[in-house]
Amino acid sequence: MGSREAEGADSEQAAEDGTPGALGGESRGLTREQLFTMAATASINFSSMICYSILGPFFPSEAEKKGASNTIVGLIFGCFALVNFLSSLILGNYITHIGAKFMFLAGMFVSGCVTILFGMLDKVPSGPVFIGLCFLVRAMDAVGFAAAMTASFSIVAKAFPNNIATVLGSLEIFTGLGLVLGPPLGGFLYQSFGYEVPFIMVGCVVLVLVPVNMCVLSKYDSVPSKDSFWKLILLPKVLLLCLTIFSLSACLGFLDPTMSLFILKMFKLPAGYVGLVFLGLALSYSLSSPLLGLLSDKLPYLRKWLLVSGGLMTALCFFMLGPAPVLHIESQLWMFVLVLVLVGFSLGMSAIPVFPEILQCAYENGFEEGLSLLGLVSGLFNAMWSLGAFAGPTLGGFLNEKLGFEWASAIQGGWALLSGLATGIFYITEATKRSSSSSLQNPPGTNEERTHLMSSES
């Protein structure tokens, strides 16, 4: 009887907090509110990734025609990430003041509008004017993207507190779907209708989704907390996890300004087919993410091994992507696509467990549970991802110009190698400390053994 009353109190408390009562330790199926939350967050994952990836097959070559060098193209891609980094830190800290739902919808609206504006840039004069407007429009898009994604992560974590990795992994299907459809769709529309149509079409789709999500998404509010980004990020484990996020994003971002140019040059494929090569990475990432998320939630002790092995595997894949000239292996299209498939899987191994690991670390160090903490964690995650997405294209464009794609990709894999080794050393050290402290708390001479010894002596 008492347990039923406790369950009723828990469900009432969950309703007050804006979290569905069906989210206990044992899942009773998705509630209507949860289904709508998943639909809304899936829409932003899908639409934002299409907006992000649609540029890959044709924008670098189009920008070169307008007087932009490889390094400048890398900076245009990187500018988005740098502004996203700053915006995520600020918006994550003030999510409880702004409101998660309003931030989500406002971010989508801004992103849709500026995507359409980006499609008008071929009308402006070549040279500094074109380059300057590219930077400005990408910066505005970054603010909208940061708002929508920071709110999305917080809303998902609030609605599914016990299954965060599973739900995030499932939503990555839509991220992968956006990455899958973006490049071929962009390449086809560009080839068929010109520069403007891909951006106008995608921007209009995003704008149509705004009123739809306004109707289906629940309102999630919370009391502001005194916890800060500095308190969170200065935790040693969180610092290492931030390095993991940064390294994965830098490796992925490196491919944006460089891979399409390498494919066009090496394999002589038309722009429409370049987008199809991106399918290997996107499909493997999106299809493996739900399984990796389920593993991360059901078997939390596996997270550390997923993080370490994912980082090391990513490093190896980037070394083989060119492949590195030191191997003296001739680059072939089938091998390039196969390595991209492995890159997608290895990125999922490291990326999916990170969010719940940071949350668990925050709870263990006394952070208050609620939307305020979720805003901090999602803002930090997006900020570190954006920082890597800035460093990846910027450094990648420079290295590609000076050393070529083969050496540039091998060097870029160093980020993943560093994070994988550092995380592995940390977890081994942590396990050693725990075993030594437990042995000190439970010395071998237990009472039972002492009694046995005394009886033996007598």
Side-chain angles (χ1 to χ4, degrees), residues 64-370:
E64 282 184 348
K65 295 176 189 174
K66 289 280 190 178
S69 65
N70 282 352
T71 304
I72 294 295
V73 172
L75 285 170
I76 291 169
F77 278 97
C79 159
F80 178 93
L82 184 61
V83 176
N84 199 351
F85 164 73
L86 298 171
S87 302
S88 295
L89 289 175
I90 296 167
L91 294 168
N93 204 32
Y94 290 98
I95 191 169
T96 53
H97 301 277
I98 299 170
K101 182 177 179 178
F102 177 79
M103 186 185 289
F104 182 90
L105 296 171
M108 283 194 80
F109 180 77
V110 171
S111 186
C113 290
V114 297
T115 298
I116 294 172
L117 281 176
F118 204 84
M120 307 297 178
L121 292 181
D122 68 323
K123 306 295 183 187
V124 303
S126 300
V129 176
F130 171 80
I131 293 169
L133 286 174
C134 281
F135 279 114
L136 178 61
V137 175
R138 287 290 280 173
M140 291 167 61
D141 194 13
V143 174
F145 181 84
M149 292 308 295
T150 299
S152 173
F153 272 79
S154 302
I155 288 168
V156 166
K158 182 72 173 175
F160 300 90
N162 299 313
N163 306 290
I164 297 172
T166 303
V167 176
L168 288 177
S170 301
L171 289 172
E172 289 306 300
I173 293 174
F174 297 94
T175 301
L177 192 61
L179 287 170
V180 165
L181 292 179
L185 179 65
F188 171 75
L189 292 174
Y190 172 74
Q191 227 172 12
S192 303
F193 304 104
Y195 179 83
E196 301 93 340
V197 172
F199 298 103
I200 293 171
M201 181 178 287
V202 171
C204 288
V205 169
V206 175
L207 290 178
V208 167
L209 289 172
V210 173
V212 174
N213 286 332
M214 191 182 296
C215 297
V216 303
L217 192 63
S218 300
K219 191 176 182 181
Y220 292 89
D221 292 318
S222 180
V223 179
S225 169
K226 294 180 180 178
D227 296 322
S228 67
F229 272 116
W230 289 114
K231 184 181 175 184
L232 180 64
I233 201 172
L234 290 177
L235 297 173
K237 186 175 179 180
V238 173
L239 267 176
L240 275 176
L241 293 172
C242 285
L243 176 62
T244 300
I245 299 166
F246 170 84
S247 65
L248 297 176
S249 179
C251 288
L252 193 60
F254 159 77
L255 299 175
D256 287 327
T258 59
M259 193 166 78
S260 63
L261 296 174
F262 176 73
I263 294 168
L264 288 168
K265 179 184 174 183
M266 180 62 66
F267 306 117
K268 312 296 182 187
L269 293 179
Y273 288 96
V274 170
L276 296 175
V277 179
F278 284 76
L279 289 176
L281 190 154
L283 278 176
S284 64
Y285 176 74
S286 58
L287 293 176
S288 63
S289 290
L291 175 61
L292 293 167
L294 187 64
L295 277 174
S296 182
D297 277 333
K298 298 296 182 184
L299 305 169
Y301 62 87
L302 282 180
R303 288 176 192 161
K304 57 174 73 76
W305 304 116
L306 288 173
L307 286 165
V308 174
S309 56
L312 297 178
M313 186 175 170
T314 301
L316 178 63
C317 288
F318 270 79
F319 197 73
M320 293 294 298
L321 192 60
V326 71
L327 298 175
H328 302 291
I329 300 173
E330 186 181 351
S331 184
Q332 298 181 44
L333 184 58
W334 68 267
M335 187 171 69
F336 190 84
V337 174
L338 176 62
V339 173
L340 283 180
V341 170
L342 295 174
V343 167
F345 181 72
S346 63
L347 286 173
M349 288 175 70
S350 294
I352 298 300
V354 167
F355 196 94
E357 274 287 282
I358 295 177
L359 265 183
Q360 183 185 349
C361 183
Y363 292 144
E364 288 172 354
N365 285 274
F367 280 73
E368 296 177 19
E369 189 174 349

Side-chain angles (χ1 to χ4, degrees), residues 19-31 34 158-163:
T19 307
L23 296 174
E26 296 179 7
S27 177
R28 302 170 193 166
L30 295 178
T31 64
Q34 286 175 302
K158 182 72 173 175
F160 300 90
N162 299 313
N163 306 290

